[in-house]
Amino acid sequence: MFKKIVSLVLAVSFVFTGVVGTSTVAAADHHSQVTTKQNLSSSMRESEMKEKQQVAPIVARIIIKAAEFAVKKLGKKIADDVWPAVKKKLDDLLESAKDLSVKGPGGGERVFAIFSDKTEIFRLDAKLLKKSDGYYLWVHYHISRNMEDHHDIANIYMGKDKPSGW
């Protein structure tokens, strides 16, 4: 702000003394606007960085808890196979989410669900399917734009016998 005032005062005084023309006033004003925009941009970047630093630990805790729920419901081997695809989707989705929470496995297909402002934004499901050659675990997710749509992650062969716990 101080730089803007100084540049305007100098430009106006030069015009009145006849040392320079009005183009200098315009140039000084443009310089002060650019400086002001740079300062605003810099302070906005600092604000965004502080906000991300505050949000990052929350997002990390949500992702860790979601991974724990995935291992609990799916088992370590299956969770290890599907987690990279899930983590990539969560990284993109949680970047702009607010007031996050996670809910663990339900009695049905749900492995975990993530909520933003109490609205479900992501749900990982696993459904056991019986086919002619045995049982398969269909792992898929739902996202907030349409929770009815299924987004496939994997179909994992579980064997000829029904897995325990399913």
Side-chain angles (χ1 to χ4, degrees):
M1 183 71 174
F2 178 75
K3 288 180 182 179
K4 183 177 182 178
I5 292 170
V6 169
S7 63
L8 285 173
V9 168
L10 286 174
V12 169
S13 66
F14 286 146
V15 169
F16 285 117
T17 59
V19 176
V20 294
T22 55
S23 62
T24 305
V25 174
D29 187 44
H30 173 71
H31 173 72
S32 64
Q33 286 175 357
V34 169
T35 304
T36 302
K37 285 180 184 176
Q38 288 171 343
N39 289 341
L40 280 173
S41 177
S42 176
S43 66
M44 287 173 62
R45 277 181 288 195
E46 289 173 10
S47 174
E48 288 172 1
M49 287 175 61
K50 285 179 184 176
E51 185 177 317
K52 283 185 179 183
Q53 287 172 346
Q54 292 171 349
V55 170
I58 296 166
V59 170
R61 283 195 302 268
I62 293 294
I63 289 176
I64 289 168
K65 194 65 176 169
E68 290 172 3
F69 288 139
V71 169
K72 180 179 179 181
K73 179 87 174 189
L74 303 174
K76 180 155 177 40
K77 182 186 179 314
I78 296 169
D80 286 347
D81 291 344
V82 301
W83 186 251
V86 173
K87 173 80 167 68
K88 182 180 183 321
K89 190 65 186 171
L90 288 178
D91 286 343
D92 296 340
L93 189 64
L94 299 182
E95 190 174 290
S96 60
K98 304 275 188 222
D99 192 26
L100 292 169
S101 61
V102 63
K103 192 172 184 179
E109 298 178 9
R110 185 179 71 217
V111 176
F112 66 85
I114 295 180
F115 298 84
S116 175
D117 293 325
K118 300 181 182 176
T119 301
E120 189 176 40
I121 61 170
F122 182 89
R123 185 175 68 240
L124 181 67
D125 287 342
K127 183 175 184 173
L128 188 65
L129 303 173
K130 182 167 176 30
K131 297 183 180 181
S132 61
D133 60 339
Y135 288 90
Y136 287 81
L137 192 60
W138 174 39
V139 183
H140 58 280
Y141 66 90
H142 305 268
I143 53 177
S144 59
R145 68 177 163 229
N146 185 350
M147 294 302 281
E148 300 299 317
D149 287 348
H150 296 83
H151 304 274
D152 294 339
I153 295 176
N155 279 311
I156 302 168
Y157 180 70
M158 301 296 287
K160 292 205 178 270
D161 299 323
K162 185 175 182 179
S164 62
W166 291 93

